Amino acid sequence: MTQAATRTRRGFSLVELMVTIAVLAVTLALAIPSFANLTAQNRLAAASNGVQAALMAARQTAISLGRPVSLCAGDPATGCNGDWPAGQWLVYEDSDGDGRLDDTETLLRQGTVPGPDGAVVIEGNGPFDEAIVYLPEGRAVKPGGGFAAGTLRV
């Protein structure tokens, strides 16, 4: 026997590599859309949980402190602006219950909707155009004292 005939084969043939790459490409083509859907669902869940946590934190803080606490759309630089689609909100101790973040009032929490380029948007209806004030007994009212029942849609 010759030395070349007794040598064992090592490595892969070109055909084997091409078949492996083709199977990998088909698998990735099926998996990537599912992964994008999962990512979108996770962003939506994170945004929804963030808004719910802000609502509950405002209510719990009002009860704990025994003072009014407000939640509104806005950022610390401009205060409350009612622009929920911008994706920012504030929770602050609202000592006078007027629904505006004044210089003398303490910012307790601020949040931003997660996700790039407005992938998740929050929209509020009428009562959420202004701040929601939680009273020390845990009841939500509008800044004027009227009943606050509204919807935040994520």
Side-chain angles (χ1 to χ4, degrees), residues 3-80:
Q3 189 178 10
T6 60
R7 190 181 318 158
T8 59
R9 287 182 43 197
R10 296 178 191 202
F12 300 103
S13 70
L14 183 59
V15 172
E16 291 171 328
L17 287 174
M18 294 299 286
V19 168
T20 303
I21 289 172
V23 169
L24 182 64
V26 168
T27 304
L28 285 175
L30 295 174
I32 287 175
S34 296
F35 184 72
N37 188 27
L38 179 67
T39 303
Q41 288 176 348
N42 284 343
R43 283 187 189 143
L44 182 61
S48 178
N49 289 339
V51 172
Q52 182 181 14
L55 288 164
M56 295 298 104
R59 182 175 186 269
Q60 182 60 40
T61 305
I63 294 169
S64 298
L65 295 177
R67 292 188 292 274
V69 172
S70 292
L71 167 84
C72 70
D75 62 78
T78 61
C80 296

